[in-house]
Amino acid sequence: MTAVDVFVGNYTLIDFELYDLWLNGYTAQETALFLQKSGIVQRADVSMEIVYSDIQDQYRLFNSLEKLLKNPPKLMDQQIYQMDAEMQRQIIQRYYQFDSVVVREILGKKLSSRNRKDMDDVGEKTRIPLRSCRRQFDNLKRVFKTVEEMMGSLVENVKTHYLLSEELARQYAAIVFIANNRFETGKKKLNHLTLEDFVFCANQMITHWSYSSVVCTVHQDMDVDLDRGFLQDLRELKMISEKEILDEHKGQVITHLKAALPKKSRQVIEESFKTNSKAIINIACGLNHSKEARDIFLDLVEKVSAI
Amino acid sequence: MPGKVKVRVLAGRGLPVMDRSTDLTDAYVEVRFGTDVFKTDICKKSLNPQWNSEWFKFEVEDESLQDEPLELRVLDHDTYSANDAIGKIYVDLNPLLTKDPLKVISGWFPIYDTMHGIRGELNMIVKVDLFSDVNKFRQSSCGIQFFSTAEVPSGYRMQVINGFVEELVVNDDPEYQWIDKIRTPRSSNEARQRLFSKLSGELQRKIGVKVSELGGNAVIGYCQCFDLEGESGIVARGIGTGVTLVRPSQMMPPSPLGVSPQFKDSPLLEDSATPSSPPNMIIRCATSPVKVTTPQTQARRSSDSDVSNTTPPKGSSLTESSGSGSGMGSSGKAVTKLSAQQPSIELMEYPFFTMTSFPVGFIVHLGGVVSAKSVKLLDKIHNPEEPETRDAWWTEIRTEIRTHCRAMGCHAVLGYTEHTTICEEIIVLCATGTAARVNVTYDPASATRIPPPIPSVVAEKPPTEKDRDKKLFVDVNLANSAAQSSLQALYDHGSDDGSPFYNCQLCHVPYKPNSAPFPINLSVCAICRKRKVPDVLFTTIDPPVEIQTHGKGSFIQARVCRPKPKSKGGESNAKEISDGLPFLEYELHSQLMSKLKLCGMNGLYGLKIQITVGESLLVGVATATAVFIAALPIPQVPRVSGQATTEEENNRLQEIQKRISERVFKNREKNELLHIDTGQVSPRSIVTDDSDDDVSDLDLSSGNKDSFVIEVDDANDESIVSLLRDSQLPEGFMMLNTHKIPGSTTLASNLQMFTQVWRQEYMVTSRRSFMDIFENLVKKICYKLRRMSPCCLCGLDFGVELPEDREIQVTVTGVCCSVENVPDSAFELQNCSKGNLLKTVPCVTNSHGGGGSERDDMMFQMEEFSSEGNIASHNKGSSSSEGTTANHSKVPLTRSTKAETSAGTKSETVGVRRSLEYVHNIQRHKNSVELTPLPYIPGLKIEKYLGNYNFFFIRESTSLREIGGQGGFMQTFVAEVMANVRANVASLGGNGLVSYRMNQCVLMCNPHKNQSQCLINVSGDAVVVASEENFPIVVEPLPKGSDSPIT
C-alpha cells in the first residue's frame, strides 16, 4: 500500500467534478467506482490506481478546505491555497448549495443536535447520501447561529458572512426567518407545499412585515423577527369584516384585479370572497399571539385555500 | 557593515482560538534579533489583533546581520499559566543588505508553528539602515548578491568570471544532543530551524568574503545543501560561481534590432549594489577610451557607475573592463569580456562553473560528462566539530574531477554539481560536470567577424580613433547577438537577422582523435565536414544556443536499483558500496545509451545522475533531455544481436528487432525528426575554419556506419523488454528536465508549478518493478495536469531517497507550461497525427481547418467527460467568456487555444493568454506569486531581482491520523512551504520566484506512534516580473522550408 502519494501545485486547482461528488457524500472509493463505471480508464488511458490517487489528493484537499469553508471570509483571506477569487466563490457557493427536498424536511424543525441525528431518516426518504444531508443541516445551523442575533438586513448579513450569491443568500434568509419564528411547516396538510413556496412567502414577510420593511418605523430590532407594532396594528382590520365595509372592500378588490385576472378566476374569488376575507382577517388579528403566528401557514392552507 | 534593524508589528489576522472559555486569544508578539527582545502590548480578546506597535530598533553588527534571522514569535498571554506559543516567523534580512534605500520588507506573513503548521498571519514592516564601516581591515561581504539562477541573471551583464567559490560549515545537530531528550518537540524543532537559518547565513557570508577577495560582486548558480550526518552533526555546503555583474544603464540606446525587452530596467534599479572602489581607479579610468567615445550620455553614466562601484582594491584594474563595458551597455546580456581583470582559466584552482547556460562564445568545445565519487565513513572523522575532514574529502573529489577533465583535453568543467547521500555512517560524495574548453578572456564569435580584437592591455596610451570605433562596433554587435540569443532561448522564435550563429565547433572533440582518453567512435562533423565529432555527446548543461539541433527534445531517464547486503559494519559496508558503484554506473550508462538510440537522437543535455545509498539498496537515477544535434552523425537503428540456436529464438530476436525499429520510427516521428535534411549546412552556421589543424590525413570514409548493437543473451532479456515497455507520454504532453528548451518548442506561459512526493515500501523483485515506479509517477503527473494539455513539463527534477529499510521515496518538482507551436512545423503536424480526426471535437476542427487542429486531439478526453455533468461548465464558462466565439465556449479551453495557435502566428499570444486564464484568470490581479524551477517565467519578463531565498522548514505532527495520515500531513506541509515562500516573495514586493528548488525533503514517519516529522529545504530567487504587454515583441515566423528551428 502506498504510504505517501501527494501532488501539490503552486495554484490550488479544484476538480469540480470530484468536488461535487465529494459534496454529495461519496467516499473516495465510491467516487473511484463511479468514475470507473463512466469509463475513465479507457478514455484517459490510465490505470485505476492513478485515478484513485488523484481522487485522494483532491479529497484530502477538500477535507482541509472544509475547515475554512465553515467560515468563508477566512477562505478568501487565507494564503495556504493560492486560488483565484472566482474559484473561491465557486467552492463556497457549491458548499452551501442545498437540495430543496432535504431542506424541506429540516424546515421548521429546531436545528438541534437531536434533530441532526434524524438526518438518516431524511437521507433515506430523500435518497440523498447521509453525509450530504448532514452537511446541509450543519450549514443551515451555522448560518442560523451566525445571523440570528445580528442587527440589520438578514439577506445582507448572510451575504457578508458567507459570501453567497444574492439568490442563495435570499433562500438562507428565508429559511432562517422561518426557523427563527418557528413557523409550523411540517404538518401533513402542508406536505404538498415545496421549499420554494415557503421561501417565497418568507421573503415576502421579510420585506413587508419584518422590522426592516419599508413601512416599519422602529428599526430597533432585527429583521429575523416580525414587526410587533405591525402585528398589533393588524387587529384594527377587524372592522373590515363588518357588513358594509366588507362589500366595499370586495368591490374595490374586484376592480383592482380586473386587469390582472381572467374573468373566470375573478368569479371564483367573488364567490368565496366573503368567507376567505373573514378567514384572512381572523388570521391577521391573531398574529400578535405568537402561538397563532406559528401556525400561519397551516391556517392559511386550512382556512383560506379551501375554496 | 553594521546597521540598525527596525521592525514594526502592525496587526494579525485569523489567529487560532487559544482560550477555550472565550473562544478568543490574547495575543502579543516578541520580536527577537540575536539576544535582544522587544514585546508588543497584549491585544486582548481578539483573533484579529491590531498592535500598531512603535518601531523596535536593534543595533547590530555586520556579522550577525548576515547570519541571524529576525525572529517574531506570536504568543497567547495567560495570567496564571505559562504563555502559549502560537507560532513564529523568521525573516532573512539579507535581501535588505544592499544599498538600495527603498528596500523594505512588508506584508502578511504566515505564522508558522512546527507542530500545527500555519496559524494565522502577521502584518509587519522591516527596514535596515546600513552605515559604512570605515575600518578597511574588515572584510565584509554585505552587498554580495546571491543567485540560485544558474546563468547570468536577466538584466545584468557579466563582466568578469572570478571563479569557483565553495564553503563548508559544520555544526552539532540539536536533534542529537542530550538536551533534546528533555525538550519538547516544538522547542527542539525551533532550535533546529534557527540553526539551519544561521548556518545558511554564515555560509553565505563566508562565501561572500571569498567572492569579494576574488574581486567579484555576486554569486550565480549558487547551490546550498545540508548534509544531515546524524551523530556527527550538520554540514552546510555551498558552491557557486563568483562573478562581477553590472547592470547596464536603464536607458538603452536603440539597438539595431530594437528588441531585447527583458533588459530594460525599471527606473528603480539602476546600478545595483556593488562595493566601492578606491579613488585612484577613477583617475585611471578617466583616460579610458569609453569615456570619450560613448555617444550616449546614459551609457557614460553607466560607465561612471562601473568605475565608482566596482571591486575592492584587490580587484585589479578596472579600466579595460569599464571601457568595454559601456560599449556594451547598450544591451545587457552578458558577453564574456576580454578584460585585464579576468583571471585566466589556468590560474583558477578549480576551473569549475556551476552555471548551466553561458554567454554566446564562452564555450569552445564540449568534451563530455566527468564525474567522481567517493565513499567515506562518518564515524571515522577524528574531529567531527571541525570542517577539515570534509574539506579534505571535497578537495579530493574536485581534484579528481579536474584530472578527468584534463584527460579529455579540456580545462574547464561546466554545469558542475555536487551531492551526497548518507546512510547511517556511510556517506557517498558525488560530483558531476561537463568537461569543456572555454574562452574566458576572448570571444570567438567576434573573431569570425572582425579583425582580431585589440589585445586586452590596460590602456596606457589613448587608443586611436579607429581602434575605438572598431571596438565599439564589435561590442554592439556582440551584445545584440547575445541579447537576441537569450531572447531565442526564451521564445525560441528565430527571426532571420540576429539569430545566433550556429557553431558546430562546440561539438568537435577537444582532443586529437588518436589521443582520445578512451576508445570512442569518432566521425566527421556533419556540418563543417572537417573536424571530428563523437557519435554521442553527453552534457550536464542547458542547450547552448550555438549548437544546432533538429526536432524536439525528449525526456530520458535511466533507473537502476541494485540490492546490497545489509550492513555488517562500516568498513565492509563501504567496500560493498564502492564495489557496487561502477556496475551501477555502467548500467545507467548503457540504459541511457539504449534509450537515446531508441529516440533516434545523439545528444544529452542537463544530465543529472543521482546515486542513493540505502540499507539494502543501491539506487541510481540518471535524468536528461535527449536531442538531435545536427553536427553529430545520425544515429542508426540499434541492431539486435544474439546467439539464436533454435528457429524460435531466432524469430523472437527478429520480433525484437522489428519492435525496436518501429519504436525508433515512432519516436522520430513524434520528435519531428523524420525529415532532417542532414548534410545541409544551415545558412546561419558559422563554418569554423580550423585550418590550424592537421586535417589533411582525415579519412572522410571513416564516417562511422557502425550501428549501435544491443546484445541479447536471451530473447526474454529483461533489459530489452523493459526498454520497449518504456511507455510513451500521452498526447499533448512534452517533458524536459533542462531549463532552456531545445528544439521546436516555445513556451508561452506558466500554468502550474508542482511537487509530487511519493513513498512506498519496495522490495526488489525485478528490474521492471523499479522502472514502473517512475513510469507511473510520470503518468500520474500527466493525468493530474490533463486539463492543461497541450503543455510542456519543464525543469523536472527527480529526487530519490531510501529513508528506511525497504522504503523508497521519490520527489518530483517541475513546472507545467503552455506551449506555442512554431508554425513552420505544420507539415510535421499533419504527418504525425493521422487518423485521429474522428476523436476531435467537431466544432474546433470546423472552425479552424488546417493542419494544426488535428493535433488537438489527445489521449485524455477528460474535458468532455467532465462536461457531461454541469460541473465543468462553470470554470469553462468563466475562462472562455473572454471574447471567445460562441463555438469555443462549448469546447474545453485548452483546445480552442491550440486551434488558434495553429491558425496564425499573430493570434498565438492571444490564444495562449486565454489558456492561461483557464488556470488563473483573476490571479494576475490578485497579487498571485508564480513559482518556477526555471530561471525565467515564459511570457513574462524579470524586471528586478529581490534577493535569494533559502529556508529550511520543519514540521512535526503528533496527531497523524487526525490530519489525514501521512498523505494529509505531507500535502499540507508542502502547501504550507509554498505559502511561506510566496508570502516572503510578496513581502519584498515581488511576484515570482525563479530557480525554485526543493533541495531536501526528509520525511520520518512513525505511524504506530501517530507521529511524523518532515524537513524541507527550498531555495530560489525572488523577482519582480511584469507582463510583456508593454513590450510587444515582434515575433517573426521562421520562413518555411528553412532548416530546423533554432536552439
Side-chain angles (χ1 to χ4, degrees), chain A residues 33 44-45 67 77 86 108 126 139 160 163 210 225-226 230 249:
Chain A
L33 222 64
D45 189 28
K67 286 165 214 141
D77 273 345
E86 177 53 34
T126 56
N139 283 346
T160 45
L163 310 170
S210 78
D225 291 315
L226 291 167
F230 170 73
H249 182 223

Side-chain angles (χ1 to χ4, degrees), chain A residues 35-46:
Chain A
L35 291 183
Q36 192 169 26
K37 276 185 196 144
S38 71
I40 192 167
V41 178
Q42 292 75 34
R43 255 196 312 265
D45 189 28
V46 287

